[in-house]
């Protein structure tokens, strides 16, 4: 099973059956969120799961129940410019412009640019914070001008 998942570049697209099963499992787990989870092997051995894994499983089940594709990316992973652009949902040329203007740190491997996932995540967070601040400012201005907002 794991090899099949890895052959698909780590992205799991749930089938309709998977989504239904994920919904049922997620509901059951949510009722027992205060308990520690264990995996029972065929020989009866119980393996305890760390709390972080429990949270990850819950999150994965929710996403899969909604039919969303899921990919796990280690924070230290290095991505190509196309993978990075896909993650940010921008074009590759736009991403390259962000890299060349040093808005996102990167390095080169030969002639190819590589971007660490944690740098992309930090950039995405900064962008979200800037958008929220701009929206707050526009809202404040609209209220000062009695625009009905």
């Amino acid at each position: 099973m794991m090899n099949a998942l890895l052959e698909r570049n780590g992205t799991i697209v749930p089938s309709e059956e998977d989504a239904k099963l994920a919904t049922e499992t997620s509901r059951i787990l949510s009722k027992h969120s205060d308990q520690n989870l264990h995996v029972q092997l065929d020989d009866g051995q119980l393996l305890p799961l760390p709390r972080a894994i429990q949270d990850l499983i819950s999150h994965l089940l929710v996403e899969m129940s909604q039919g969303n594709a899921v990919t796990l990316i280690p924070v230290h992973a290095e991505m190509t410019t196309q993978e990075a652009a896909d993650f940010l949902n921008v074009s590759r040329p736009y991403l390259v412009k962000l890299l060349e203007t040093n808005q996102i740190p990167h390095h080169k491997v030969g002639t190819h640019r590589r971007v660490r996932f944690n740098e992309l995540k930090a950039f995405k967070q900064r962008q979200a914070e800037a958008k929220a601040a701009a929206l707050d400012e526009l809202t404040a201005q609209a209220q000062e001008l009695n625009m009905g907002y």
Side-chain angles (χ1 to χ4, degrees):
M1 175 74 173
M2 183 56 86
N3 287 340
L5 296 178
L6 293 175
E7 290 173 1
R8 292 187 283 178
N9 296 323
T11 299
I12 300 168
V13 180
S15 65
E16 218 174 290
E17 184 179 317
D18 290 340
K20 288 178 185 175
L21 183 58
T23 300
E24 293 170 21
T25 305
S26 178
R27 286 184 185 142
I28 293 168
L29 283 180
S30 69
K31 293 176 186 175
H32 302 282
S33 62
D34 59 332
Q35 299 177 16
N36 291 328
L37 293 181
H38 295 78
V39 173
Q40 184 171 3
L41 303 177
D42 289 341
D43 66 2
Q45 182 181 6
L46 286 177
L47 301 176
L49 296 178
R51 176 45 98 182
I53 296 296
Q54 292 178 216
D55 295 342
L56 180 61
I57 288 172
S58 294
H59 181 70
L60 289 172
L61 287 170
V62 168
E63 292 298 322
M64 288 181 74
S65 70
Q66 295 171 359
N68 296 331
V70 179
T71 302
L72 294 177
I73 303 172
V75 293
H76 64 275
E78 291 185 350
M79 303 173 80
T80 66
T81 53
Q82 186 60 60
E83 291 168 336
D86 291 345
F87 174 76
L88 294 176
N89 199 27
V90 298
S91 69
R92 196 186 71 74
Y94 179 72
L95 176 86
V96 169
K97 181 180 172 184
L98 293 173
L99 299 178
E100 289 175 350
T101 57
N102 297 318
Q103 293 183 51
I104 301 174
H106 68 287
H107 66 280
K108 285 193 172 185
V109 176
T111 59
H112 302 281
R113 295 176 187 90
R114 294 290 183 262
V115 184
R116 289 191 178 273
F117 176 73
N118 57 351
E119 297 292 354
L120 288 173
K121 191 174 176 186
F123 173 79
K124 197 171 189 176
Q125 180 64 35
R126 289 191 305 271
Q127 292 298 99
E129 289 169 1
K131 287 178 186 178
L135 186 57
D136 288 346
E137 185 177 333
L138 287 173
T139 302
Q141 288 176 1
Q143 289 174 347
E144 286 176 17
L145 297 171
N146 295 319
M147 297 181 74
Y149 296 109

